[in-house]
């Protein structure tokens, strides 16, 4: 079996908490120059931008910056900083609840993505934390949806990453959520919902199929008033959009959900008026490295319950 070659350490530092792009040139010598290869390999980058990167020596190999006349070197490693997309700043604070030599736990606001992806790169929890805390090797232990607020956990040291990510993979973390949704007196709660959820890459909405269940959620009603319910949710599995889909399937979709039960038109990127009323409120686990019990709780509230008039009027949420 052919071994996967190890990527050398990047010679470029992170920029605003974002790693440089790494390119490994193919083994075949099929291009006369590095520029010719880059023009083919990076079709979304304008040729004049490639020329500017090479002229400015902003593309770096293992032996230093490369220039416009650099020959193609099969198997070489290259690094460069990509041009970042224009992003609307998320105007809410990312609160650090816990920081030691192994873990960083934050209280993430709505609308802030956990990790860079697509049009959200710098405006993500990971990039903000790497930059603010000076922790370039910080990595996520799990993922929390961009529209969901609450607890997200990050690992400080690369050698500890596997131990904490395995906790989430093996369902050894007890996760609790709060949600605000319509109250239905005919809906018998508490109950456990099980279904088969599939989420296709590039498709916004997940779907439930008639197949053996691969997801499980415990749903309880904490209290209700004025036609709204405050719910306690515990996902016993970790499918994408699981809680949102299960609540919608019960006929009580979570307030502010732009996907379930109906996919709404994409709002303006700077419209922060009605956040999804879903909060990752608690995580609890036994630390795999110390054996100590750990529990963290969110300090955030859901505006539709704490300030229903302001939320209904579309006032910008307070953070």
């Amino acid at each position: 079996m052919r071994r996967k070659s190890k990527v050398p350490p990047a010679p470029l530092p992170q920029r605003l908490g974002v790693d440089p792009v790494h390119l490994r040139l193919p083994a075949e010598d099929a291009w006369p120059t590095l520029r010719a290869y880059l023009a083919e390999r990076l079709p979304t980058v304008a040729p004049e931008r490639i020329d500017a990167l090479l002229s400015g020596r902003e593309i770096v190999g293992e032996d230093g910056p490369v220039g416009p006349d650099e020959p193609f070197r099969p198997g070489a490693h290259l690094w460069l900083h990509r041009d970042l997309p224009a992003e609307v700043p998320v105007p809410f604070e990312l609160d650090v609840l816990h920081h030691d030599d192994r873990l960083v736990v934050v209280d993430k606001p709505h609308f802030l993505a956990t990790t860079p992806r697509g049009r959200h790169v710098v405006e993500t929890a990971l990039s903000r934390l790497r930059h603010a805390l000076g922790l370039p090797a910080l990595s996520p232990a799990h993922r929390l949806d961009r529209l969901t607020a609450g607890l997200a956990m990050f690992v400080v040291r690369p050698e500890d990453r596997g131990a904490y990510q395995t906790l989430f993979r093996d369902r050894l973390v007890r996760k609790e959520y709060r949600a605000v949704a319509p109250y239905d007196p005919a809906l018998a709660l508490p109950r456990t919902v099980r279904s088969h959820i599939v989420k296709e890459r590039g498709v916004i909405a997940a779907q439930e199929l008639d197949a053996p269940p691969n997801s499980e959620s415990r749903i309880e009603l904490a209290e209700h008033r004025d036609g709204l319910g405050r719910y306690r949710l515990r996902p016993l599995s970790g499918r994408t959009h699981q809680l949102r889909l299960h609540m919608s399937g019960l006929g009580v979709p979570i307030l502010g959900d732009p996907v379930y039960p109906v996919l709404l038109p994409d709002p303006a990127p700077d419209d922060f008026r009605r956040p999804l009323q879903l909060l990752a409120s608690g995580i609890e686990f036994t630390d795999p490295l110390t054996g100590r019990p750990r529990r963290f709780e969110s300090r955030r509230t859901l505006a539709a319950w704490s300030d229903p008039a302001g939320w209904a009027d579309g006032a910008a949420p307070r953070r």
Side-chain angles (χ1 to χ4, degrees):
M1 174 185 271
R2 184 179 178 183
R3 277 188 170 181
K4 186 176 180 181
S5 61
K6 187 176 180 180
V7 177
L12 289 175
Q14 292 176 348
R15 181 179 292 172
L16 296 176
V18 180
D19 289 323
V21 174
H22 170 253
L23 297 176
R24 176 72 186 275
L25 303 189
E28 64 271 18
D29 192 0
W31 294 267
T33 63
L34 174 60
R35 186 200 180 282
Y37 168 75
L38 293 175
E40 181 178 322
R41 173 67 174 79
L42 307 175
T44 60
V45 181
E48 53 269 25
R49 180 57 183 150
I50 293 176
D51 291 336
L53 289 170
L54 290 168
S55 297
R57 297 190 175 273
E58 297 179 56
I59 300 177
V60 178
E62 293 181 78
D63 298 324
V66 299
D69 300 324
E70 181 75 13
F72 180 86
R73 302 182 189 280
H77 294 271
L78 298 174
W79 293 265
L80 70 150
H81 281 291
R82 60 174 162 163
D83 294 327
L84 299 175
E87 298 181 62
V88 175
V90 177
F92 310 126
E93 292 298 320
L94 177 64
D95 299 328
V96 177
L97 301 181
H98 175 85
H99 180 192
D100 61 24
D101 59 353
R102 289 193 173 97
L103 291 178
V104 174
V105 180
V106 300
D107 216 352
K108 186 182 81 66
H110 293 101
F111 302 105
L112 186 69
T114 304
T115 58
R117 185 178 181 184
R119 65 187 182 183
H120 307 287
V121 181
V122 173
E123 285 298 308
T124 63
L126 181 62
S127 296
R128 281 192 186 185
L129 289 169
R130 283 175 168 177
H131 184 59
L133 301 179
L135 297 173
L138 194 71
S139 61
H142 64 117
R143 191 178 69 87
L144 187 64
D145 284 346
R146 183 179 69 88
L147 297 183
T148 303
L151 299 176
M153 193 166 82
F154 297 83
V155 184
V156 174
R157 304 186 304 187
E159 60 267 31
D160 297 336
R161 183 182 310 158
Y164 290 104
Q165 289 180 340
T166 297
L167 284 178
F168 289 88
R169 185 198 67 191
D170 293 347
R171 304 180 187 178
L172 299 176
V173 178
R174 179 185 174 92
K175 296 183 286 185
E176 299 173 1
Y177 287 72
R178 300 184 206 132
V180 179
Y183 168 65
D184 180 0
L187 179 62
L189 294 174
R191 70 168 61 192
T192 299
V193 180
R194 300 178 181 89
S195 69
H196 188 95
I197 295 176
V198 294
K199 175 72 167 62
E200 295 182 21
R201 187 177 181 86
V203 178
I204 295 176
Q207 295 183 344
E208 291 180 293
L209 301 182
D210 185 12
N214 63 2
S215 66
E216 183 175 353
S217 304
R218 182 69 174 171
I219 297 176
E220 302 176 4
L221 177 67
E223 57 183 319
H224 68 89
R225 70 182 185 214
D226 303 325
L228 292 180
R230 185 172 67 85
Y231 296 85
R232 285 191 295 264
L233 312 177
R234 184 186 170 202
L236 303 178
S237 55
R239 297 289 168 177
T240 301
H241 295 181
Q242 175 179 316
L243 295 174
R244 297 163 62 183
L245 199 53
H246 283 170
M247 289 290 285
S248 179
L250 293 176
V252 285
I254 298 172
L255 266 60
D257 196 328
V259 179
Y260 308 102
V262 178
L263 179 61
L264 302 177
D266 193 22
D270 56 351
D271 186 356
F272 302 109
R273 292 175 297 175
R274 287 192 177 89
L276 175 71
Q277 295 300 281
L278 181 62
L279 173 70
S281 57
I283 53 175
E284 186 175 0
F285 58 93
T286 298
D287 193 296
L289 300 180
T290 67
R292 293 168 42 207
R294 298 248 202 177
R295 177 169 177 83
F296 301 99
E297 296 184 0
S298 172
R299 299 171 185 166
R300 297 185 181 274
T301 60
L302 293 170
W305 192 260
S306 61
D307 183 18
W311 191 86
D313 291 340
R318 294 188 294 273
R319 292 292 185 271

